Every structure is written in C-alpha cells, then in structure tokens.
Amino acid sequence: MAHHKRTTVIVASAMVALTACAPAGYNGANSGAAEPVAVAAAEPTAAAEPEASAAPEEPTADQAPPSDVKLTDELVGKKLPRMGKVVTDQDGWVLYRFDKDTATPPQSNCVDKCAEVWPPALTDGNPQLQGVSDDKVGTVTRQDGTRQITIGGWPVYRYIGDKKPGQWKGQGVGGTWFVVDPNGKKNLTCLPTGTPKAVAPPASGGGDSGGGSTYSY
C-alpha cells in the first residue's frame, strides 16, 4: 500500500440498443422509447447538484476513520454483464473514480457534500485483494486525516445512487465520474447518452434546501 498513485432505426431496435447498456435493475419496459438510458439509469432528481469543494487544505496526519464509518476491507476485480471489468468492495458495490481528482500525485478533491454522495473507500490498513494487483493499490490521506484507497493512483469511491450491489448508475455522472477498472483506468465500455446528474446529498438537519445551488461534481 505504498504509492500515494454510439439514419433511422425502428423503435424496437432502439430499445434493444438502449437496454443492452442499462445498469442492473433498469427496466426499459417502463420507459418511453425516446428516453435515453442514462436518464433512466441515473434517476436525476430535481434537487440541485452538490459542489465539489475548492482546493483542499493540507491534510492532517493519518487518523483512524470514525467508528461509525464503514471501511473497505476488500477490493475485488471482476467482470459484470454489459459493463465488463470493474472493481467492487467486499459487499459488491461498484467503485468509481473522479476526473477532478489527480493520480500524480494522488489527491482527492471530493469533500463535504460531494463526499456525502460519493463516499470515499476508506481503509485502516491493507484491504484484501482479489483480481486487483497489489502494485496498483495505494492510499491517499484526505483533508480529515483518514486514508482513502487509490487504484492506479486514483482515489476510489462508492455512489449512493446505486441501490444494490452490481449497479453502476454513477457511470458518466456530471461527465466526470466513471467506473474504475482493476488498473485504475476509466471503464468506458458502457457510457450513458447525455450527461446524467448526481442524486442529491442525503437529507440533513441543516438549513440548506439546495434551492439555488448548482452542484458541479
């Protein structure tokens, strides 16, 4: 864990093409033929989109994640139908990378509300690896001092818009989020039509209703 590293076609044909690339759980029979898979898959909400925070502050020393934070204990490289190569955590949730992060050097720029929608894959040491090479896996220290897993130098995340393991509704969200493969590269096998929006952050006790905000991640 050392390195901080798509003229016309008939409607029936169109529907076959769309559903062939739909995430797990997508039911094309309930949608109009003209509706892009991406929109159905991402389930955009009317809520405004959370904003990735500005340049991060200097990280503090490594700290253990809070006791109520679930750690990523295992990385599993596998193939999913239609999508191909992905990496999941121990529970089968697909992991993603963010274009606004950097890999050289590794740095996470998804914090605050962004991190509520895209929870970072945190670790307290050495996650077990299956189908992912040890030399591709590392960690980066986040602003709060916790350690986030990197693959190929890229910090990796889950997406709260995925409602069950094996879904990839986060693919292409905002034009910046993509399923990560076991080498840390973007899996571009199954891209959405258009640019889906992220789901809204979880409701909190705060006063921000998201009414006039524009989320940029």
Side-chain angles (χ1 to χ4, degrees):
M1 305 282 296
H3 71 276
H4 280 353
K5 332 200 181 174
R6 153 150 117 159
T7 242
T8 301
V9 295
I10 62 174
V11 170
S13 296
M15 282 303 297
V16 169
L18 288 175
T19 55
C21 206
Y26 173 65
N27 183 359
N30 295 329
S31 304
E35 182 182 16
V37 165
V39 175
E43 298 178 15
T45 66
E49 254 186 72
E51 195 167 326
S53 77
E57 303 169 356
E58 280 297 314
T60 58
D62 284 359
Q63 297 178 11
S67 58
D68 60 342
V69 172
K70 184 173 183 179
L71 298 179
T72 298
D73 297 322
E74 186 175 3
L75 297 178
V76 182
K78 62 172 66 174
K79 286 186 178 181
L80 292 181
R82 301 186 302 277
M83 176 56 74
K85 294 181 179 179
V86 305
V87 178
T88 73
D89 67 8
Q90 65 274 8
D91 298 316
W93 297 101
V94 170
L95 300 178
Y96 301 83
R97 49 171 278 185
F98 185 33
D99 279 358
K100 293 184 181 180
D101 286 346
T102 61
T104 311
Q107 178 173 293
S108 170
N109 293 311
C110 178
V111 297
D112 301 327
K113 287 189 179 297
C114 177
E116 293 179 20
V117 176
W118 303 91
L122 300 179
T123 182
D124 62 356
N126 300 303
Q128 297 180 36
L129 305 180
Q130 182 180 144
V132 182
S133 297
D134 181 71
D135 62 355
K136 294 296 183 180
V137 180
T139 62
V140 62
T141 302
R142 294 177 57 78
Q143 292 182 28
D144 60 3
T146 56
R147 282 188 292 167
Q148 181 174 3
I149 295 173
T150 63
I151 302 178
W154 290 94
V156 292
Y157 309 78
R158 272 190 52 207
Y159 177 48
I160 67 170
D162 288 337
K163 300 307 180 184
K164 61 182 180 180
Q167 289 187 332
W168 61 83
K169 295 185 178 185
Q171 177 76 322
V173 166
T176 56
W177 289 92
F178 299 92
V179 171
V180 67
D181 77 10
N183 292 313
K185 298 182 181 298
K186 291 185 280 192
N187 180 336
L188 303 178
T189 302
C190 194
L191 292 173
T193 300
T195 305
K197 294 181 181 180
V199 297
S204 65
D208 182 9
S209 64
S213 301
T214 299
Y215 301 155
S216 64
Y217 63 81

